[in-house]
Amino acid sequence: MTNPGQSGTMSVVTIAEAWPAVGRPFTVAELDRMPADGRRYELLDGALIVSPRPTTVHQVVAGRLLRVLADACPDGLCVVPEPAVELDPQTEFDPDLVVVRMDQVGGAKFTEPPLLVVEIRSPSTALVDLNRKKSAYERFGLPLYWIVDPDPPAPELTVFELRDGRYALTTTTAEPFTADRPFTLSIDLRRLTDGVRR
């Protein structure tokens, strides 16, 4: 993870130097000091989540979905890949894609809910994405949470929408999908992995 400090310069530290004192939870400030070593460092309620580098299949799916979202994105909104989203002082995620308002763009990380968060599911993150992250995003007030699983016979999309403060599962599909939130777009999920050897 590479996060610029307040001054806009990078500080390089070892993991041992970034680690909090024994018995104390991690904070976002300490997460910002973690070295860039190819892993993804995220924070959930003060606990560090370390994920391996995404597979090339994961990256291809994320890139293709980014293109679909960006092509349909209206003026005033934008799609951002792999930003830091700070939910609170002890929780910060690096989702694969987010849709935000243009007036949210500018800082080192997003500190208010995006309009949409998309996670590309992988074996190492599947349970966290579907359970603990979903609960954290629900508390944060994230209106739309998508999980794309590239591994079934065809990619599968699961959509959660915030309704009265709780997530409702509104869609699970491997068929072509049309969304009306956060804007209107159509996705042929099979094309996300066309030609990819899995």
Side-chain angles (χ1 to χ4, degrees), residues 101-173:
R101 301 184 316 273
M102 287 301 301
D103 64 12
Q104 291 177 270
V105 175
K109 58 185 73 175
F110 296 114
T111 56
E112 60 179 283
L115 302 176
L116 167 68
V117 162
V118 182
E119 292 284 6
I120 311 300
R121 189 170 174 175
S122 62
S124 65
T125 65
L127 288 177
V128 173
D129 291 344
L130 194 55
N131 295 309
R132 299 189 66 194
K133 277 191 179 181
K134 181 169 74 74
S135 295
Y137 281 134
E138 185 180 74
R139 293 193 306 270
F140 190 46
L142 175 74
L144 279 172
Y145 181 40
W146 292 6
I147 301 173
V148 176
D149 187 347
D151 286 332
E156 186 174 83
L157 171 66
T158 301
V159 176
F160 295 97
E161 293 188 14
L162 197 65
R163 296 178 178 173
D164 299 321
R166 300 296 301 273
Y167 274 139
L169 172 60
T170 61
T171 302
T172 299
T173 185

Side-chain angles (χ1 to χ4, degrees), residues 53-64:
R53 182 187 301 274
T55 66
T56 52
V57 172
H58 178 286
Q59 297 299 68
V60 167
V61 170
R64 289 178 176 177

Side-chain angles (χ1 to χ4, degrees), residues 34-137:
M34 295 299 287
D37 60 3
R39 296 180 179 88
R40 175 181 287 186
Y41 291 96
E42 298 179 291
L43 196 59
L44 177 56
D45 296 331
L48 192 65
I49 301 172
V50 183
S51 304
R53 182 187 301 274
T55 66
T56 52
V57 172
H58 178 286
Q59 297 299 68
V60 167
V61 170
R64 289 178 176 177
L65 186 54
L66 170 64
R67 190 177 314 122
V68 172
L69 288 166
D71 286 348
C73 193
D75 291 344
L77 303 181
C78 68
V79 186
V80 182
E82 298 185 5
V85 178
E86 181 180 335
L87 285 69
D88 62 51
Q90 293 186 349
T91 303
E92 181 176 302
F93 299 143
D94 292 345
D96 292 302
L97 300 168
V98 302
V99 174
V100 294
R101 301 184 316 273
M102 287 301 301
D103 64 12
Q104 291 177 270
V105 175
K109 58 185 73 175
F110 296 114
T111 56
E112 60 179 283
L115 302 176
L116 167 68
V117 162
V118 182
E119 292 284 6
I120 311 300
R121 189 170 174 175
S122 62
S124 65
T125 65
L127 288 177
V128 173
D129 291 344
L130 194 55
N131 295 309
R132 299 189 66 194
K133 277 191 179 181
K134 181 169 74 74
S135 295
Y137 281 134

